Every structure is written in structure tokens, then in C-alpha cells.
Amino acid sequence: MAAVETKEAIWHGGDLATAKALFPQAPEPWIDLSTGINPIPYPLPQLPLSLWQRLPGKSDEAALLAAARKAYRIRPQSGLVAAPGTQILIELLPRLIPAANVAVLGPTYGEHAPAWRKAGAIVREIADLAEIGDANVVVLVNPNNPDGRVVAQETLVQLAGLLGARGGLLVVDEAFADFAPETSLLPILPEGALVLRSFGKAYGLAGLRLGFAVGEERFTDALQAMLGPWAVAGPALHVGAVALGDAQWLSAAGEARAADSKRLDALLAGQGRVVGGTVLYRLIETPQAPSLFERLGRAGIYVRRFQHDPCRLRFGLPGHEAGWTRLVQALKSA
């Protein structure tokens, strides 16, 4: 039997300590499919010792920002700020629009709504953009986590104009847009919109803690001031600049992960209905989701559950053939 689980405010993927507590008899090593992170990371370049011994310099940050502008196709007039992960940016965004009336398009990444609530904003979680009402801030993830829903660029441009006229802001979290560049708002970024980009997911280096905000300079300058000097560590600046400049690697990785996601779809077809996802994860729906989660857990395979919908499970991609083999065996037994 599984161990009794302690209650958590928000469930996230990647928490193997919880998995081990739930299934203490599971075989090791665990296969963690609970995240949407590329399981085959960018190969780390050799890092000079000096990066660890000195504070980051202006030139280090400038090199990263230049690489990000090119990789993300950011317009010259758009402001850009780097941060130690997008999570800190999510926490800081409410300071840009005090006393906000916020609509969060969901279900989606669980940290957006709490960040605004902690700042005293009125927050509603909506299922359709037609429900924004009198909100002056709208937050959405595009492509969405966990179902991969995509909101068209034309819709986002119109919404940014509406919110800008209200003195508000459209926040678009593009954490999973690296392998779907056609969905990105950045090449045509309008006033009234601010886009978040996460480095760690596509490049498989979430522990590096690197993210970006792109928007009007008045917003990015304010975020930079809140972050303060030396916000991003020197090694992260260096690795980020190298990786973002390697378009060939990103293209090859995208093709490989797209093939992997199709392989995963074929495996999951007999377990439930595949209802969405991106090339880095797939989402299934089945009334048997709780029992499937248990069976996979007992086999040492951790997938992502959802507080808002116990009939859904999200599967990340195995990073090696041994992982695929164990997943096949566990699904057959389930």
C-alpha cells in the first residue's frame, strides 16, 4: 500500500522525495516523468574557473541578452530582462500593476494565481477568454501547461490592446514555446503585453535557474530594478549565451522530442484518451488515472497528477531506452 501523503498547497512535478514517500518499496532508480523538462539536456560547455570566482560583469549579461534577442526573435524596441528563473518574475509581476483585477486562463501552471493573490489582487480563474469581464490583467500560458492549448496571435494582440487601454497588462507565459516558435508573440509583441520565457525546459537545464521577461521598457526596467544587481549567476549567463546561440542544437532537439512524443502517444493510447500536451509532455484522461498512478509508482515511475482533475495524468518523456522499456512494461502490467 502507498504511504499516507502529506497535503501540499500546490503540486509540482519533479518532487521525487514525495514519490519515494508514497512508494517506499518501488525499484530504483526512479524514472521521473512528472516534469515537462527536456530529458536530454544541452551539453554543458567547459566553464572557466573565473566564472565561479568573480561577480558577473556587464559584458556577460550583454552577451546573454544578445543571444536571447536573436533566439527568441525579440524586436529591437522591446525591453528585455534576465532573471534567475521565471518563478521570481511571476512573484514580481504584481508590483507592476498595483490593485489589479486579474483573470487567469486555466487550468494552468499553479503559481500564477497565488502570486497575484499574495499581492492583494482580485483573482478569478477562467476557462475562456470571453469571461475576462472588467479585468485589467489577464494571465495565460501559451502553449498551455498541461493541455497544450494555444491562443492565436491575433487574439493576443487584440487582448493586449484592450488591457492596455484599461491601464493593465497581458501576461503570456511562453515556457514551452521553444519547440513551437510559431506560437510566440515576441516577433510582433504589442504594447500592453509582457512575455515570460523559460530557459530550463527546452534546454533540459532547469537547475541553472534562468528566465526572461520581454515587454515595454517601462515594465522590464521596473523588473530589473526589483531584481537588483548580479541577479543571474555568472555560470548561468555563460551557459545561457552559448546554448541560446546554438540554433542547430535546438532544431535537432525539437525534431527528436517530437518523435518521442509520438512514440509516447502510441504507448498511452491503450491507457486513456490523449487530450493534449506539447512535444515535451502528453496529457491523458481516464477514470482509471488514480489506479494507473499507483501502479506506475509501485514500478518506480513517477507521473504528474492534478489537484483540479483526478482523472488526468501528465507524462513527460523518458530520456533513455532503458526508461522507455520500463515504461512499456509498467503500462502493460497496468
Side-chain angles (χ1 to χ4, degrees), residues 221-253:
D221 287 351
L223 289 169
Q224 183 70 75
M226 286 184 259
L227 288 166
W230 313 299
V232 180
L237 294 173
H238 182 84
V239 172
V242 172
L244 287 168
D246 195 343
Q248 184 176 357
W249 181 89
L250 185 67
S251 177

Side-chain angles (χ1 to χ4, degrees), residues 21-271:
L22 287 169
F23 306 104
Q25 304 303 318
E28 302 262 2
W30 274 85
I31 298 174
D32 186 5
L33 305 183
S34 68
T35 76
I37 298 168
N38 187 347
I40 303 177
Y42 186 81
L44 286 172
Q46 286 192 335
L47 299 179
L49 183 60
S50 61
L51 288 176
W52 304 97
Q53 295 177 307
R54 62 175 176 82
L55 288 170
K58 292 290 186 182
S59 61
D60 301 312
E61 184 178 34
L64 172 69
L65 295 179
R69 280 192 178 276
K70 183 175 181 180
Y72 296 145
R73 300 172 298 157
I74 298 171
R75 301 197 304 173
Q77 61 266 43
S78 296
L80 171 63
V81 59
T86 52
Q87 182 58 45
I88 186 62
L89 292 169
I90 290 171
E91 299 288 339
L92 293 176
L93 288 180
R95 302 188 192 179
L96 297 178
I97 310 290
N101 183 345
V102 184
V104 178
L105 183 63
T108 192
Y109 178 58
E111 295 289 349
H112 282 291
W116 289 90
R117 287 195 178 103
K118 285 187 291 186
I122 299 170
V123 180
R124 291 181 295 116
E125 298 184 53
I126 61 174
D128 191 285
L129 289 176
E131 302 170 14
I132 67 169
D134 60 354
N136 64 342
V137 174
V138 173
V139 181
L140 60 90
V141 180
N142 205 46
N144 189 47
N145 174 15
D147 59 11
R149 175 197 61 224
V150 172
V151 179
Q153 288 180 328
E154 296 80 3
T155 301
L156 295 176
V157 170
Q158 293 174 4
L159 184 55
L162 171 65
L163 296 171
R166 296 177 179 180
L169 184 66
L170 170 64
V171 177
V172 183
D173 184 341
E174 294 187 350
F176 293 98
D178 292 76
F179 293 140
E182 71 282 357
T183 68
S184 178
L185 188 61
L186 288 175
I188 58 169
L189 187 64
E191 292 185 359
L194 188 141
V195 171
L196 303 178
R197 292 298 291 249
S198 172
F199 172 82
K201 293 179 175 62
Y203 291 88
L205 297 171
L208 197 71
R209 307 312 301 137
L210 181 61
F212 303 89
V214 188
E216 295 175 56
E217 287 189 344
R218 62 189 177 104
F219 292 134
T220 57
D221 287 351
L223 289 169
Q224 183 70 75
M226 286 184 259
L227 288 166
W230 313 299
V232 180
L237 294 173
H238 182 84
V239 172
V242 172
L244 287 168
D246 195 343
Q248 184 176 357
W249 181 89
L250 185 67
S251 177
E255 291 179 5
R257 299 297 81 74
D260 288 343
S261 67
K262 291 180 180 178
R263 181 180 181 182
L264 184 58
D265 279 345
L267 291 180
L268 297 176
Q271 305 299 324

Side-chain angles (χ1 to χ4, degrees), residues 245-319:
D246 195 343
Q248 184 176 357
W249 181 89
L250 185 67
S251 177
E255 291 179 5
R257 299 297 81 74
D260 288 343
S261 67
K262 291 180 180 178
R263 181 180 181 182
L264 184 58
D265 279 345
L267 291 180
L268 297 176
Q271 305 299 324
R273 185 167 64 98
V274 177
V275 293
T278 70
V279 298
L280 288 176
Y281 56 83
R282 310 304 289 166
L283 182 70
I284 70 166
E285 185 173 79
T286 170
Q288 305 304 317
S291 61
L292 180 57
F293 175 83
E294 289 266 341
R295 292 174 183 177
L296 290 171
R298 290 196 294 267
I301 299 174
Y302 193 40
V303 297
R304 175 77 161 84
R305 299 170 298 165
F306 297 95
Q307 289 153 302
H308 68 271
D309 194 340
C311 290
R312 289 187 168 189
L313 295 174
R314 191 187 70 188
F315 287 71
L317 303 173

